[in-house]
Amino acid sequence: MLEGYSPVTQALLGTLFTWGLTALGAATAIFLRGNQRKFMDISLGFAAGVMLAASYWSLLEPALEMAAGLATYGENGQWAFVPVSVGFFLGAAFVFGADLVMSSIGVGSPLDLIDKKVEPDSESPLPEQEPQFQMNGESGLRLRRVGAGSEVVSIGEQEREDEIKKRSSWRRIMLLIVAVTVHNIPEGLAVGVGFGAIGRTKSATFESARNLALGIGIQNFPEGIAVSLPLKAAGFSTAKAIWYGQLSGLVEPIAGVLGAALVSFIVPLLPYALAFAAGAMVYVVVDDIIPEAQSEGNGKAASWGAIVGFIVMMSLDVALG
């Protein structure tokens, strides 16, 4: 973000800064140890709060203001809600469609794409095993004979339930990453447009574009946390949690360069793009993140996590807006 460079270079530097703060937020996963379900639910609640606040102050409010400033939607912007409503609906429909596609092709985890395992047929007879003996805790040294078949079936059912839960968790995590990534695309475009529009109007200055990049970058810090902490709490390695956390912000430099290079074409589409991202985020929060955070008896803690996340993101958006 150095004055005197071309708009495209400035946009690239500005969005690399915003991506860097996303990665910095994701790196907080280093300080989390172990597989903690309660902390995962709290961090999912925090992510929900961050995403709900960002969907309004970072996306819907600017989208309405931009649409109101375009003569296309009425002299006083009275029809500004039209592009925002359309974009919001399409964003929700996009995530809904992505969910259906993942379910239809059987992708519950990225590992499914590279390692297709043959699932055992539930109706196939299980191999016979030798009768087992185990200690009965209530009878001291007395041994109790256990029927092998019933024991194997119960173990198989438990493993199947665990596998279903694991795949469901992966689907929610993938949708979370998709939603945050989609949200970062219009933010990158906004930074790029900010630098590309320098000199076009009195308010379009280098300082305003720099401040926009700074504000979005600081807002991205809790978004990186919102992705990496649930991953780490779910049992992912620190490296993978940080990798997926920063990956959601990596689209911003690409979008920023496009925004600066195509500023004349991008500006009319920004209200749709911002609202599209908001719709995607709200759908994921309502349909996946909140139900998952409430599913294991940690609902109150998750709710307070959502309140804290909302306050943090709202404060950053308003203070730096």
Side-chain angles (χ1 to χ4, degrees), residues 29-278:
I30 294 172
F31 303 105
L32 182 62
R33 294 288 181 267
N35 187 338
Q36 304 176 35
R37 176 67 206 200
K38 185 173 183 179
F39 191 84
M40 177 182 175
D41 290 339
I42 294 173
S43 56
L44 283 172
F46 180 85
V50 166
M51 293 169 73
L52 286 176
S55 67
Y56 177 73
W57 278 281
S58 294
L59 299 169
L60 290 177
E61 186 180 40
L64 287 167
E65 291 178 355
M66 289 179 184
L70 299 174
T72 309
Y73 305 109
E75 294 182 2
N76 300 315
Q78 63 267 33
W79 299 106
F81 69 90
V82 173
V84 176
S85 298
V86 171
F88 190 87
F89 177 82
L90 291 177
F94 169 79
V95 178
F96 175 73
D99 194 5
L100 289 180
V101 169
M102 284 191 291
S103 299
S104 65
I105 64 177
V107 177
S109 159
L111 296 176
D112 291 341
L113 297 174
I114 58 176
D115 185 19
K116 288 284 186 181
K117 294 183 179 180
V118 178
E119 293 290 335
D121 186 354
S122 59
E123 297 180 359
S124 300
L126 291 168
E128 294 184 1
Q129 296 191 5
E130 294 297 324
Q132 300 177 1
F133 294 88
Q134 70 180 33
M135 295 293 294
N136 186 336
E138 298 177 357
S139 306
L141 297 177
R142 188 175 61 196
L143 294 175
R144 178 169 59 90
R145 182 170 183 173
V146 180
S150 62
E151 185 72 16
V152 172
V153 170
S154 65
I155 292 174
E157 289 176 353
Q158 182 63 42
E159 289 178 349
R160 200 178 299 274
E161 288 179 4
D162 291 343
E163 181 67 17
I164 291 172
K165 287 183 179 179
K166 186 176 180 181
R167 289 175 180 271
S168 178
S169 176
W170 249 114
R171 184 181 62 82
R172 289 184 171 90
I173 289 168
M174 289 182 70
L175 289 176
L176 171 63
I177 295 171
V178 167
V180 175
T181 302
V182 168
H183 156 260
N184 283 332
I185 292 173
E187 286 193 347
L189 287 173
V191 173
V193 167
F195 284 106
I198 292 176
R200 292 173 180 259
T201 64
K202 290 183 179 180
S203 61
T205 63
F206 171 78
E207 288 74 18
S208 64
R210 179 196 60 196
N211 292 340
L212 175 63
L214 178 63
I216 288 178
I218 294 175
Q219 293 165 22
N220 282 358
F221 183 82
E223 291 171 5
I225 296 174
V227 174
S228 67
L229 288 192
L231 291 172
K232 182 65 185 295
F236 284 74
S237 67
T238 301
K240 285 185 177 180
I242 295 174
W243 169 254
Y244 286 116
Q246 64 82 32
L247 200 61
S248 64
L250 198 55
V251 296
E252 287 194 0
I254 301 171
V257 170
L258 288 175
L262 305 174
V263 61
S264 299
F265 301 98
I266 294 295
V267 170
L269 298 178
L270 267 181
Y272 291 94
L274 290 167
F276 181 95

